[in-house]
Amino acid sequence: MNDNAYNGASEAELGFLKEIVRMLPAGLTVQDAQGKLLLVNDVAASQLGMDGSRPSPNLAPRREACQQALKSGQSVTSEEALHDGAARQVLLTTHRPISLAGRELLISASSDITEQKNFEDQLFRSAYFDELTGLPSRRVIEHRTNGLLARDQPGERFALAFLDVDNFKHINDYYGHAVGDALLVELSKRLGRDLRDSDMLSRISGDEFLLLLSPIQSQDEVAEFMQSTLERLTAPFFIDNSELFVSTSVGVSLYPDHGRNFETLRQNADIAMYRIKNNGKGSASFFDAGMEREALARMKIEQSLRLAILEKRFCCAFQSKVDIRTQAVKGIEALVRLRDDEGVIQAPGSFINLASELGLIDELTHLVLAEIVKSIDLINESFGADATISINVAAKQAGNPEFMRNFAQAMKDTGFPQRFMIEVTEDAFVAKNHFQSEILPMFRKLGVGISIDDFGTGYSSLSALADITADEIKIDRSFITDIHKRPRSQGILRAIESLSEALGMTVIAEGLETYEELAYLQAATKIRYAQGYYFARPIFLEELKLATPASSESRTSVSARPMQQNRQGYSRASAYRR
């Protein structure tokens, strides 16, 4: 091969190599010891803004890394964040010094890792920040608190506050989750006002927040700050054309007075918050040792409740709904009771709310149905085969389609679903949970009746009653007690009675206990049915077995007999009320 041919081949290969370098998918540059660029491929030109496709980014950090590699004679790998306004490009670049033909050169190769970094940032934010409010997560505030604890400087004090939005479930149910979420966002903004850089607000769950106040000088200082915060929350929130009023219950623990680690301080603040929940809501309380004893007692009840379900220590009592003019039994209500470790019967007030909080209420409702099915023959003999059998369903359950579908199937499986009536509070109807449009038709198809329990104590109104499709309305006992002496309650009673009559609903007066109350209902209203201690207390299956009547006449005497001895003294009845 002659020299011309050889040179031609070499030039062709060189051109070929240059083209490959130009088209590499990674950015590649070569520069000399003075920083002069000798080679820049297309990708590098685009990355560094040399091709005019984007403004030139700030390359000062890159030049510093290049000088470091040339000076040390060793490769340097770094991440480079190149910003173009709000846009960001992240490169992973390796700078490698080489000696070639007696020249000191630097080869730099860059890969675009922008998508990977964006994904990592997204993971970081989801792990450490709340997606809805943008507030730090629990692990962030825990880390900050542990940092303060690790310093353990003499005299240093801080406060940890546990905040819980009162009745947030009702807001979600009535207005919908979108409004509930928007409320949490606005609430977090108000809570975050007036915080110092050293303080931190965190959303740790649905409607629960943790607030770290550090440093503090005294308990009075914290009390004053929390009071001003709570006052700020009393102003209405305007969301989606709705005016919402909310309150927040706050429990506060102090370091080192109430704990020397994060979990103890958090738990004690939580305990203090529950004291506020139980005593009226909407204020703040500091932890004290007496609260810890209450929390231990609550935990004991919780453990016994779970054990009672396992051991099937729940039972049913049945209370009659009576025709106040003939004393005939129209129906019965199944009331769940608990036998404690010593066999003493506990009324639902001691466990129903806790069972709902712990997610055990569904199982209790199914236990009541199973008890009824097992004892249906005895129930028929005692109260009559035509008496309806009412079972209470909590508003939370009524808004849970999965539970209600299972419960409807369980009622169907009894073989006599038309005997049942579901009692739900008015909250279930007015909440935006599709109870009336989706869930109620399932039970209508089975022939199950619907009763509105404790009417007048919830969040609805008489106008809302016009849109409710129920068979029965039970007027809360607060309207019936001493009705003969309370003109305002009499007016409300007449309004409810008239509207219910127009809508074809049967009216039941709850909690009737005295002859005077009965006399007023008979003389001044068209109400035909009542439920209360004047006619019958709740009776247990064991008592039914001991006094199974043989006829309808004796059935009336056992189940709906006025308690004559109580005309002057009905106070003992309060121990048995639902």
Side-chain angles (χ1 to χ4, degrees):
M1 179 181 297
N2 60 39
D3 290 342
N4 289 334
Y6 178 81
N7 290 335
S10 297
E11 290 177 4
E13 290 178 0
L14 182 59
F16 180 68
L17 289 173
K18 286 182 178 180
E19 191 66 16
I20 289 177
V21 169
R22 187 180 69 81
M23 299 179 65
L24 282 173
L28 181 68
T29 65
V30 178
Q31 58 185 292
D32 62 19
Q34 287 71 44
K36 180 181 178 182
L37 288 171
L38 305 176
L39 185 150
V40 179
N41 74 350
D42 289 356
V43 172
S46 175
Q47 291 171 345
L48 302 178
M50 295 179 179
D51 62 352
S53 63
R54 51 176 291 187
S56 298
N58 179 12
L59 298 179
R62 181 184 180 96
R63 284 192 290 267
E64 183 179 336
C66 291
Q67 291 171 2
Q68 179 185 346
L70 285 168
K71 184 177 181 180
S72 66
Q74 296 181 349
S75 296
V76 173
T77 300
S78 62
E79 288 184 7
E80 300 174 339
L82 308 179
H83 294 276
D84 175 12
R88 181 189 71 158
Q89 184 180 37
V90 183
L91 306 179
L92 182 64
T93 303
T94 298
H95 304 285
R96 182 183 178 187
I98 63 170
S99 295
L100 186 65
R103 302 174 68 182
E104 298 298 323
L105 303 175
L106 186 70
I107 299 177
S108 302
S110 301
S111 299
D112 190 334
I113 59 170
T114 305
E115 288 189 13
Q116 176 184 334
K117 294 301 295 183
N118 289 342
F119 181 67
E120 289 176 0
D121 290 347
Q122 183 181 351
L123 288 179
F124 177 84
R125 288 203 61 82
S126 64
Y128 294 102
F129 292 89
D130 174 52
E131 183 178 358
L132 178 66
T133 63
L135 293 175
S137 67
R138 169 181 164 140
R139 67 173 63 186
V140 176
I141 198 169
E142 181 176 359
H143 179 76
R144 172 76 70 84
T145 304
N146 286 334
L148 295 174
L149 293 168
R151 294 193 319 196
D152 194 25
Q153 294 184 356
E156 184 171 43
R157 305 185 70 195
F158 62 84
L160 197 64
F162 196 114
L163 305 92
D164 184 273
V165 183
D166 299 323
N167 301 319
F168 184 69
K169 179 189 176 302
H170 290 299
I171 294 171
N172 261 344
D173 287 346
Y174 187 80
Y175 294 98
H177 287 275
V179 171
D181 286 348
L183 173 63
L184 290 174
V185 172
E186 295 304 313
L187 186 75
S188 67
K189 292 178 182 177
R190 288 195 193 180
L191 290 173
R193 290 181 196 170
D194 301 332
L195 294 184
R196 303 163 295 183
D197 291 340
S198 57
D199 301 328
M200 179 177 284
L201 177 65
S202 168
R203 181 184 178 215
I204 60 174
S205 68
D207 61 338
E208 295 178 336
F209 298 82
L210 270 183
L211 174 61
L212 173 65
L213 299 175
S214 173
I216 61 169
Q217 300 299 320
S218 67
Q219 179 171 315
D220 290 342
E221 173 193 359
V222 178
E224 183 178 345
F225 177 83
M226 295 313 308
Q227 183 59 37
S228 65
T229 299
L230 291 175
E231 288 175 0
R232 187 160 61 241
L233 297 180
T234 59
F237 292 84
F238 296 94
I239 298 172
D240 193 24
N241 298 320
S242 297
E243 184 179 18
L244 305 181
F245 291 87
V246 300
S247 64
T248 302
S249 297
V250 184
V252 185
S253 61
L254 305 176
Y255 170 81
D257 311 58
H258 304 142
R260 291 182 172 271
N261 61 68
F262 172 80
E263 194 56 31
T264 299
L265 290 166
R266 187 203 63 78
Q267 287 178 354
N268 289 341
D270 191 8
I271 289 170
M273 184 273 295
Y274 268 103
R275 165 71 71 85
I276 293 297
K277 286 285 189 183
N278 294 330
N279 291 344
K281 305 178 181 179
S283 59
S285 174
F286 288 89
F287 173 79
D288 63 52
M291 296 178 182
E292 190 170 16
R293 291 191 291 270
E294 291 178 9
L296 290 173
R298 173 187 166 91
M299 186 179 299
K300 185 178 179 181
I301 294 174
E302 176 182 335
Q303 292 171 344
S304 65
L305 186 59
R306 294 184 184 277
L307 186 61
I309 289 180
L310 289 174
E311 296 179 348
K312 293 182 170 49
R313 284 194 276 109
F314 286 94
C315 55
C316 287
F318 298 94
Q319 188 174 31
S320 304
K321 300 176 183 179
V322 179
D323 187 318
I324 63 175
R325 288 166 174 77
T326 66
Q327 296 185 20
V329 176
K330 173 188 184 293
I332 57 173
E333 180 181 359
L335 305 170
V336 66
R337 299 289 188 264
L338 169 65
R339 296 186 192 276
D340 65 19
D341 297 340
E342 299 176 357
V344 178
I345 298 294
Q346 300 292 326
S350 65
F351 62 83
I352 283 294
N353 288 339
L354 184 57
S356 183
E357 287 180 28
L358 298 174
L360 302 175
I361 192 71
D362 293 354
E363 193 166 353
L364 280 184
T365 306
H366 279 288
L367 285 175
V368 170
L369 180 60
E371 185 83 0
I372 292 170
V373 173
K374 183 176 68 175
S375 308
I376 189 63
D377 290 338
L378 184 58
I379 291 171
N380 289 343
E381 291 175 9
S382 302
F383 299 103
D386 295 327
T388 58
I389 306 170
S390 295
I391 300 177
N392 287 279
V393 172
K396 179 180 180 180
Q397 295 173 291
N400 181 347
E402 182 179 0
F403 167 76
M404 295 303 281
R405 277 193 292 268
N406 291 337
F407 195 54
Q409 185 61 48
M411 283 189 161
K412 181 179 180 181
D413 292 343
T414 66
F416 46 90
Q418 67 282 355
R419 287 285 302 278
F420 291 105
M421 182 168 284
I422 293 176
E423 292 195 9
V424 294
T425 57
E426 56 201 281
D427 302 1
F429 289 92
V430 298
K432 291 185 178 180
N433 55 25
H434 309 293
F435 170 76
Q436 193 155 264
S437 62
E438 297 178 15
I439 295 172
L440 203 153
M442 292 190 297
F443 292 90
R444 290 282 187 212
K445 188 175 180 180
L446 295 175
V448 176
I450 306 296
S451 174
I452 308 174
D453 196 15
D454 300 331
F455 186 82
T457 63
Y459 292 82
S460 68
S461 62
L462 290 182
S463 60
L465 188 62
D467 297 323
I468 292 174
T469 54
D471 303 289
E472 177 182 277
I473 180 170
K474 299 179 73 174
I475 301 175
D476 186 74
R477 66 179 311 277
S478 60
F479 294 102
I480 303 302
T481 300
D482 292 331
I483 183 67
H484 55 288
K485 297 187 294 186
R486 299 165 61 197
R488 291 176 66 86
S489 290
Q490 292 170 8
I492 294 172
L493 189 63
R494 285 194 296 270
I496 297 174
E497 179 190 359
S498 297
L499 185 53
S500 300
E501 183 180 21
L503 297 174
M505 298 183 192
T506 301
V507 178
I508 308 285
E510 288 189 285
L512 192 146
E513 294 189 354
T514 69
Y515 174 77
E516 290 78 11
E517 293 166 356
L518 172 65
Y520 176 84
L521 293 180
Q522 290 176 327
T525 76
K526 297 179 182 179
I527 294 175
R528 286 293 304 267
Y529 303 101
Q531 184 178 0
Y533 270 71
Y534 181 81
F535 292 108
R537 64 177 178 82
I539 187 168
F540 292 92
L541 289 174
E542 291 85 348
E543 298 171 287
L544 292 177
K545 293 173 183 176
L546 293 174
T548 302
S551 66
S552 59
E553 181 179 353
S554 58
R555 183 157 55 238
T556 298
S557 66
V558 169
S559 304
R561 181 178 60 242
M563 299 174 70
Q564 303 294 342
Q565 69 273 28
N566 279 355
R567 276 204 53 187
Q568 285 77 35
Y570 283 88
S571 60
R572 74 181 184 89
S574 61
Y576 298 92
R577 287 184 194 135
R578 312 173 26 230

